[in-house]
Amino acid sequence: MTRLVRYLPVLDWGRSYTGAQMSSDLIAALVVTIMLIPQSLAYALLAGLPPEAGIYASVAPILLYAVFGTSRVLAVGPVAVVSLMTAVAVGQVAEQGTMGYALAALSLAMLSGALLVAMGLLKLGFLANFLSHPVIAGFITASGVLIAASQLKHILGVPAQGHTLLEIAASLAGLIPDTNLLALVIGGGATAFLFWVRRGLKPLLRRIGLPAALSDVAVKAGPVAAVVATTWLVQAYELNARGVAIVGEIPQSLPPLTLPSFSPELLQALFVPALLISVIGFVESISVAQTLAARKRQRIDPDQELIGLGAANLGAAFSGGFPVTGGFARSVVNYDAGAETPAAGAFTAIGLGAAALYLTPLVHFLPKATLAATIITAVLSLVDFSILKRTWVYSKADFTAVAVTIAMTLALGVEAGVSAGVLMSLLLHLYKTSRPHVAEVGRVPGTEHFRNINRHKVETSPGLLSLRIDESLYFVNARFLETLVLDRLARDKDLRNVVLMCSAVNEIDYSALENLEAINLRLKEQGIGLHLSEVKGPVMDRLQKTHFLDDLNGRVYLSQFQAWKDLAAAG
Amino acid sequence: MTRLVRYLPVLDWGRSYTGAQMSSDLIAALVVTIMLIPQSLAYALLAGLPPEAGIYASVAPILLYAVFGTSRVLAVGPVAVVSLMTAVAVGQVAEQGTMGYALAALSLAMLSGALLVAMGLLKLGFLANFLSHPVIAGFITASGVLIAASQLKHILGVPAQGHTLLEIAASLAGLIPDTNLLALVIGGGATAFLFWVRRGLKPLLRRIGLPAALSDVAVKAGPVAAVVATTWLVQAYELNARGVAIVGEIPQSLPPLTLPSFSPELLQALFVPALLISVIGFVESISVAQTLAARKRQRIDPDQELIGLGAANLGAAFSGGFPVTGGFARSVVNYDAGAETPAAGAFTAIGLGAAALYLTPLVHFLPKATLAATIITAVLSLVDFSILKRTWVYSKADFTAVAVTIAMTLALGVEAGVSAGVLMSLLLHLYKTSRPHVAEVGRVPGTEHFRNINRHKVETSPGLLSLRIDESLYFVNARFLETLVLDRLARDKDLRNVVLMCSAVNEIDYSALENLEAINLRLKEQGIGLHLSEVKGPVMDRLQKTHFLDDLNGRVYLSQFQAWKDLAAAG
């Protein structure tokens, strides 16, 4: 039973569900549903799919996540970055607007879902940690810029293309003469309106005396207002006949049962993109889930989250959707609106199902320029180049990783960008550990504490050299220590004892062991003792399996202070 | 001037060269020259090149290394593993026996030389550290097996092919019916003789009363004896007319001036192999150089070594050679024979030049089977599978890296093998640091020393949790600590203060800083203090650039003991 609850969190919260929780969940669901209708249509557009795919991708995934996920308020569905990555990945194997394109999007969701579930069952949630925070921040910022740029074509009403900033700019530049002025007025107007709603409306409403909660609702209704106004405009003046692109006919139906393509060549071509989408989606989702859970002292299980998101993507694959994940904006809205349990998500799914059945004719005349405006305002709020400045101040290595991520994402696209960011941050880490900090230490007077002789006023003893090695010893830096000790030896002729203080040595691998043996041999030849102090339990366990301790020309001391008492006196 | 000496070590030892050093160097050069003649021919055969290429590759490279290298006794020239890698790399772009093949080998040497010089000037010598000792040991062992297998065709006198163990075995199996029995008798006999010389001759000579030094010379003369005997046999009985493959016509000339191909496609195709050859060659060479230098308390400069080896390879490229590096066997012979300075290498080069001019007609009838026998006995002495057992006992991670290296080298060839080994050892290291060891510590009674409560009898204080984090905090494990502290918090309701003992934290990167901020915030909300102790200088410098220390809900203590005094009393 406990085991079943671990894999089906719904059994945990479902059994104690109360009427009070239900009314909170219903209100939250209503707010989220209203917000999601235009957003779902917009992200389908971004992914290069027919608008209804966005709504379908919000129904089954939410329901499945409610059963398998561990976050109580995470709202799963299409999100900006994953939709862009879907457009890039599927665009490589099929032509937009074809049946093959929609089919490939289903296969991508299926692959991504299968990968997530597999990673969850194999407890590989830690893989997400290979994306450092600065790399994520840089990637989100650069993706936001790319997404906004990619939507300009809808605002201008031209068929531009491209997946990198340069491609998009070149394509747009060539098409500017073809700009549809009506689309530009609608799209530009909607964008300006939505920015004003975000920045200026709330303070205004508060000034004229509206309560905070009501002002919030008004702000959230902004996109809906833009949709209603521009749809009416197009319908009333038949602007679609004058070249304004509209959403058009949407089938009135619940999400259909669909079957992704299982073509081996297709699945192979989509494998790497699916992996990247899974990892990026997981990282985005778990960050949101953990932030919101922490506010209510709830816990998120990363491995179970993988299974929850995997189930959601498999759901999307078999119900006409495309890759989904937990979205930041919608989850925060869900939380702020008072959602208590995943049932809020289930109610949202019902709301969206109803919308798919009854409301789709109303958005027939909705201009694509308006959807583009909602995307642009949403993603530009994610753009934050300040990460460059913050990392520059703190650490040049972190700064380099961010800068590379942003530059590569803009110049070569999302997949190259995130891969370069991960690789760069790992290489920089390895480089840093290859040249570890080593401090010569002395005793802080009157204590048993030992610190760097260059930073603190400490006591030293002639003939005794105490080195604190500030890194695990492993193959990348194994030779470094040998070089350092021997160089030091060549300079100090009166040396009688060397103590390696191992308080910061968390591992000694086989390569480092061989180098330690070489150091020991060399010191022994010259009649100099080699001692270790503060060796940790796990490291000591290893050393005891070898001959190293038997051959050591000295002792292993529990603490540096004991080594000092013993050796400084002898010296 | 100092700067010039750094790049031209010859200026250092050359100015104080004495007559006594010169006579030592001359004797060593004679011994090495005699050893190198058959060896150079054999390694040219292994690389798939005409035999004279082996001699040419030993002349200019030795001279150039004598000028630019920092080791006093390293002997540079063709070596087994690099020759095999040359055969694999060049075999991918040209047919053996064609002009294009020899030309590509020159280009490979040029590329490799240019890469080494560039790495030296950019001070990238540390890159060699990315090859762990067990990976190198596994690679050398597997390469030895591959090389020995590849030479069986000469022993059997059949035209077998292949670069992996399976390919070679399959190719040989199909050709066994074509075995030339005379070649088998000569090759098999020579192999047995050479093994006996290595294992049985020296003890025998010592037993009959020969001095140790003379016994050594006799053993080293073994290959020469095999060469002389089998050459005479073939010539006297005209065995070459009965199908025994011989070395044949070798031009009598000093190394010619040659020009490598600069074809961009060729250089591009050879780039990755050249890089691998450079790194492997450098690692092999520097290991030998450091081992021998240490015996005489001399120092090796890795970055200058790169330049020395690079110059040697450039020399090979323009004088009819192929990629070279510092060889283990020949360097040890050079050292044991009493070489004092790189002038010994220069004398060896003169000796080999003379051999190329006057002695090549003598080896016309030398059977290839004898050369194969010298290669097989040489490389099988490098094969040592005990590294598998030794790493298994010490560390499963190191064992895995070795096992993968050996398996991949045998199954997919040298390039795949060494790449897989490097990748596997890096990934295992990252995996280990992603789940760091964290110990709850208490005070060792009567001292100011703090150790793991599970391993030592220590004092703890209620309400105070002291955690020693045994790893640098960086993005791969940043979330780990947050999860751990919060889980711990959920279990212990009486907690008032948490101390993170940072003696083993050598870095806190930007991601980890954000997680520390999150931990601090969470503890603050619950009225629990968060303190740090024993934070190192470089880490503290970083933290002081941020708001973290201002926001910290607690203090930073110089030592864990001070934290204990302060907080255990308060608790």
Side-chain angles (χ1 to χ4, degrees):
Chain A
M1 185 58 202
T2 325
R3 199 175 153 71
L4 202 60
V5 169
R6 186 208 167 307
Y7 287 110
L8 285 173
V10 63
L11 296 178
D12 179 27
W13 60 264
R15 279 180 302 177
S16 57
Y17 198 52
T18 64
Q21 285 180 318
M22 187 166 175
S23 55
S24 297
D25 285 346
L26 276 170
I27 292 168
L30 186 68
V31 174
V32 175
T33 303
I34 291 172
M35 170 193 168
L36 281 195
I37 294 174
Q39 207 179 79
S40 303
L41 301 175
Y43 289 145
L45 194 72
L46 176 55
L49 289 161
E52 65 270 23
I55 296 185
Y56 299 161
S58 301
V59 178
I62 293 185
L63 288 173
L64 284 160
Y65 182 83
V67 175
F68 293 101
T70 60
S71 165
R72 300 214 159 183
V73 292
L74 193 72
V76 172
V79 306
V81 172
V82 168
S83 299
L84 173 68
M85 293 178 83
T86 298
V88 172
V90 177
Q92 283 159 0
V93 296
E95 190 80 24
Q96 245 191 55
T98 63
M99 265 300 290
Y101 191 92
L103 206 59
L106 296 178
S107 300
L108 188 65
M110 178 179 68
L111 253 182
S112 169
L115 283 169
L116 286 163
V117 170
M119 284 162 70
L121 294 176
L122 296 172
K123 309 221 178 289
L124 296 181
F126 74 91
L127 281 181
N129 297 339
F130 280 54
L131 279 164
S132 77
H133 298 190
V135 166
I136 297 169
F139 177 69
I140 298 282
T141 287
S143 302
V145 172
L146 269 189
I147 293 170
S150 77
Q151 295 308 300
L152 284 179
K153 64 180 176 190
H154 295 297
I155 304 277
L156 297 175
V158 295
Q161 283 178 328
H163 292 312
T164 71
L165 202 57
L166 208 69
E167 283 171 14
I168 294 170
S171 178
L172 278 178
L175 292 164
I176 280 182
D178 305 340
T179 301
N180 182 311
L181 281 179
L182 284 169
L184 182 58
V185 168
I186 293 172
T191 308
F193 170 73
L194 289 172
F195 270 112
W196 172 76
V197 165
R198 277 180 180 257
R199 299 273 162 84
L201 182 62
K202 197 170 164 185
L204 185 76
L205 292 176
R206 299 284 289 132
R207 259 204 312 282
I208 62 171
L210 226 60
L214 217 57
S215 309
D216 262 357
V217 171
V219 169
K220 267 165 220 149
V224 175
V227 164
V228 170
T230 56
T231 304
W232 172 81
L233 216 64
V234 172
Q235 187 164 17
Y237 296 95
E238 291 182 14
L239 299 183
N240 54 318
R242 293 161 70 184
V244 173
I246 55 168
V247 163
E249 194 66 30
I250 300 183
Q252 273 183 277
S253 112
L254 283 175
L257 205 62
T258 52
L259 204 63
S261 161
F262 285 86
S263 143
E265 296 89 60
L266 183 69
L267 294 182
Q268 206 187 334
L270 292 175
F271 186 83
V272 172
L275 187 66
L276 289 174
I277 287 176
S278 302
V279 173
I280 292 283
F282 174 60
V283 168
E284 180 168 356
S285 181
I286 193 115
S287 310
V288 183
Q290 284 187 330
T291 308
L292 296 178
R295 293 198 200 158
K296 290 200 171 179
R297 311 242 192 295
Q298 291 159 351
R299 304 284 313 140
I300 299 294
D301 172 357
D303 291 319
Q304 181 60 27
E305 273 305 280
L306 281 165
I307 296 175
L309 288 178
N313 274 290
L314 289 173
F318 291 92
S319 65
F322 57 97
V324 296
T325 193
F328 180 73
R330 63 181 64 189
S331 301
V332 171
V333 169
N334 195 31
Y335 178 91
D336 287 347
E340 296 259 353
T341 75
F347 299 143
T348 306
I350 294 170
L352 285 170
L357 265 182
Y358 305 112
L359 299 184
T360 47
L362 299 182
V363 294
H364 182 97
F365 288 100
L366 170 58
K368 288 186 174 176
T370 306
L371 290 179
T374 66
I375 294 177
I376 290 174
T377 42
V379 296
L380 285 186
S381 72
L382 302 177
V383 171
D384 178 9
F385 283 99
S386 77
I387 186 69
L388 281 170
K389 197 185 148 213
R390 284 180 283 140
T391 50
W392 174 262
V393 171
Y394 186 69
S395 148
K396 299 297 174 283
D398 280 315
F399 169 80
T400 308
V402 186
V404 166
T405 307
I406 292 179
M408 294 289 280
T409 304
L410 293 178
L412 298 177
V414 278
E415 293 178 1
V418 74
S419 310
V422 170
L423 214 65
M424 180 54 70
S425 44
L426 288 177
L427 285 179
L428 285 169
H429 171 72
L430 290 172
Y431 177 74
K432 279 185 281 183
T433 62
S434 79
R435 317 197 148 190
H437 181 251
V438 175
E440 182 175 348
V441 295
R443 182 187 179 190
V444 178
T447 73
E448 301 179 6
H449 192 57
F450 288 75
R451 289 308 271 259
N452 192 338
I453 60 166
N454 296 322
R455 286 177 179 263
H456 301 265
K457 278 204 174 165
V458 292
E459 301 167 8
T460 56
S461 165
L464 173 64
L465 173 67
S466 299
L467 294 175
R468 189 190 70 207
I469 305 152
D470 284 354
E471 195 62 64
S472 290
L473 293 173
Y474 76 116
F475 60 99
V476 167
N477 61 28
R479 197 171 281 140
F480 179 89
L481 181 67
E482 191 178 342
T483 310
L484 185 113
V485 171
L486 297 181
D487 279 353
R488 186 57 211 245
L489 208 62
R491 277 187 293 142
D492 189 346
K493 298 295 173 197
D494 300 328
L495 215 54
R496 293 217 228 140
N497 286 291
V498 175
V499 181
L500 300 179
M501 182 176 169
C502 298
S503 48
V505 175
N506 307 308
E507 202 213 342
I508 295 179
D509 79 350
Y510 194 82
S511 303
L513 175 69
E514 291 193 342
N515 283 78
L516 279 180
E517 282 168 351
I519 295 173
N520 180 47
L521 199 69
R522 217 66 64 72
L523 292 180
K524 204 180 214 166
E525 287 168 359
Q526 312 198 8
I528 300 171
L530 176 68
H531 312 268
L532 306 180
S533 76
E534 313 206 356
V535 181
K536 299 173 189 208
V539 175
M540 200 65 189
D541 290 347
R542 281 265 163 84
L543 291 181
Q544 273 161 350
K545 291 183 200 163
T546 70
H547 285 289
F548 177 70
L549 297 178
D550 306 328
D551 301 338
L552 188 66
N553 186 32
R555 286 182 52 191
V556 178
Y557 293 96
L558 186 70
S559 71
Q560 176 65 26
F561 180 66
Q562 289 182 4
W564 162 273
K565 270 199 301 190
D566 215 24
L567 300 169
Chain B
M1 183 61 202
T2 326
R3 199 175 154 73
L4 200 61
V5 169
R6 185 209 168 303
Y7 286 111
L8 285 173
V10 65
L11 296 178
D12 180 26
W13 60 265
R15 279 180 300 175
S16 57
Y17 198 52
T18 65
Q21 285 181 318
M22 186 165 173
S23 54
S24 298
D25 285 346
L26 275 171
I27 292 169
L30 186 70
V31 174
V32 175
T33 305
I34 292 173
M35 172 193 167
L36 281 194
I37 294 174
Q39 206 179 78
S40 303
L41 301 174
Y43 289 146
L45 193 73
L46 176 55
L49 288 162
E52 64 270 24
I55 296 186
Y56 299 160
S58 300
V59 179
I62 293 185
L63 288 172
L64 286 160
Y65 181 81
V67 175
F68 293 102
T70 60
S71 166
R72 301 214 158 184
V73 293
L74 193 71
V76 172
V79 306
V81 172
V82 168
S83 299
L84 173 68
M85 293 179 82
T86 298
V88 172
V90 177
Q92 283 160 1
V93 297
E95 190 81 27
Q96 245 191 52
T98 63
M99 267 299 291
Y101 191 91
L103 206 59
L106 296 177
S107 299
L108 187 66
M110 179 180 68
L111 254 183
S112 169
L115 283 169
L116 286 163
V117 170
M119 284 162 71
L121 293 176
L122 296 171
K123 308 221 178 290
L124 295 181
F126 73 91
L127 280 182
N129 298 339
F130 280 51
L131 279 164
S132 77
H133 298 190
V135 165
I136 296 169
F139 177 68
I140 297 283
T141 287
S143 302
V145 172
L146 269 189
I147 292 170
S150 76
Q151 294 308 300
L152 285 178
K153 65 180 177 191
H154 295 298
I155 304 278
L156 298 176
V158 297
Q161 286 180 324
H163 292 312
T164 71
L165 203 56
L166 209 69
E167 282 171 16
I168 294 171
S171 178
L172 279 177
L175 292 166
I176 280 183
D178 304 340
T179 300
N180 181 310
L181 281 180
L182 284 168
L184 180 58
V185 169
I186 293 171
T191 310
F193 170 73
L194 290 172
F195 269 113
W196 173 76
V197 165
R198 276 179 180 259
R199 301 274 162 83
L201 181 62
K202 197 170 164 183
L204 185 74
L205 292 176
R206 300 281 291 132
R207 260 204 312 283
I208 62 171
L210 225 61
L214 216 60
S215 310
D216 261 359
V217 170
V219 169
K220 266 165 220 151
V224 175
V227 164
V228 171
T230 55
T231 305
W232 173 80
L233 215 65
V234 171
Q235 188 165 15
Y237 297 95
E238 290 180 15
L239 300 182
N240 54 316
R242 294 162 71 185
V244 174
I246 57 169
V247 164
E249 195 66 30
I250 301 182
Q252 273 183 276
S253 110
L254 284 174
L257 204 64
T258 52
L259 203 64
S261 161
F262 285 86
S263 143
E265 298 90 57
L266 182 69
L267 294 183
Q268 206 186 336
L270 292 176
F271 185 82
V272 172
L275 187 66
L276 290 175
I277 287 175
S278 302
V279 174
I280 292 285
F282 175 60
V283 168
E284 181 169 354
S285 181
I286 194 117
S287 311
V288 183
Q290 284 186 328
T291 307
L292 297 179
R295 293 201 201 155
K296 289 201 175 181
R297 311 243 190 295
Q298 291 160 352
R299 304 284 316 140
I300 298 294
D301 172 357
D303 291 320
Q304 182 60 27
E305 275 304 282
L306 283 164
I307 295 175
L309 288 177
N313 274 290
L314 290 173
F318 290 92
S319 65
F322 58 96
V324 295
T325 193
F328 180 73
R330 63 181 63 189
S331 300
V332 171
V333 169
N334 196 31
Y335 178 90
D336 287 347
E340 296 259 353
T341 75
F347 299 142
T348 305
I350 294 171
L352 285 169
L357 265 182
Y358 304 112
L359 299 183
T360 47
L362 299 181
V363 295
H364 182 95
F365 289 99
L366 170 58
K368 289 186 174 176
T370 306
L371 291 179
T374 65
I375 295 178
I376 290 174
T377 42
V379 296
L380 285 187
S381 72
L382 303 176
V383 171
D384 178 9
F385 282 100
S386 77
I387 186 68
L388 283 170
K389 197 185 150 212
R390 284 180 285 141
T391 48
W392 174 262
V393 171
Y394 185 69
S395 148
K396 299 298 174 283
D398 280 315
F399 170 80
T400 309
V402 185
V404 166
T405 306
I406 292 179
M408 295 288 280
T409 304
L410 293 178
L412 299 177
V414 279
E415 294 178 0
V418 73
S419 311
V422 171
L423 214 65
M424 180 54 70
S425 44
L426 290 176
L427 286 179
L428 284 168
H429 171 73
L430 291 171
Y431 177 74
K432 280 186 282 183
T433 62
S434 79
R435 315 197 150 190
H437 180 252
V438 174
E440 181 174 349
V441 294
R443 181 187 180 192
V444 179
T447 73
E448 299 179 7
H449 192 59
F450 288 75
R451 291 307 272 258
N452 191 338
I453 59 166
N454 296 322
R455 286 178 180 262
H456 301 264
K457 277 205 172 162
V458 293
E459 301 168 8
T460 57
S461 165
L464 174 63
L465 172 66
S466 298
L467 294 175
R468 189 190 70 208
I469 305 151
D470 284 354
E471 195 62 64
S472 290
L473 293 173
Y474 77 115
F475 60 100
V476 166
N477 60 30
R479 198 171 279 141
F480 178 89
L481 182 67
E482 190 177 345
T483 309
L484 185 114
V485 171
L486 298 180
D487 279 354
R488 185 58 211 248
L489 209 64
R491 278 186 293 143
D492 188 347
K493 298 295 174 200
D494 299 329
L495 214 53
R496 291 217 230 141
N497 286 292
V498 175
V499 181
L500 300 179
M501 182 176 168
C502 298
S503 48
V505 175
N506 306 309
E507 201 212 341
I508 295 178
D509 79 350
Y510 195 81
S511 303
L513 176 70
E514 291 193 345
N515 282 78
L516 278 180
E517 282 168 349
I519 294 173
N520 180 48
L521 199 70
R522 216 68 63 71
L523 292 180
K524 203 179 214 166
E525 286 168 0
Q526 311 198 10
I528 299 172
L530 175 68
H531 313 268
L532 306 180
S533 76
E534 312 206 356
V535 181
K536 296 172 192 209
V539 175
M540 200 65 188
D541 289 347
R542 282 265 163 84
L543 291 180
Q544 272 160 350
K545 292 183 197 162
T546 70
H547 286 290
F548 177 69
L549 296 178
D550 306 329
D551 300 339
L552 187 67
N553 187 31
R555 287 183 51 192
V556 178
Y557 293 96
L558 186 69
S559 70
Q560 176 65 25
F561 181 67
Q562 290 182 5
W564 163 272
K565 271 199 303 192
D566 214 26
L567 301 169

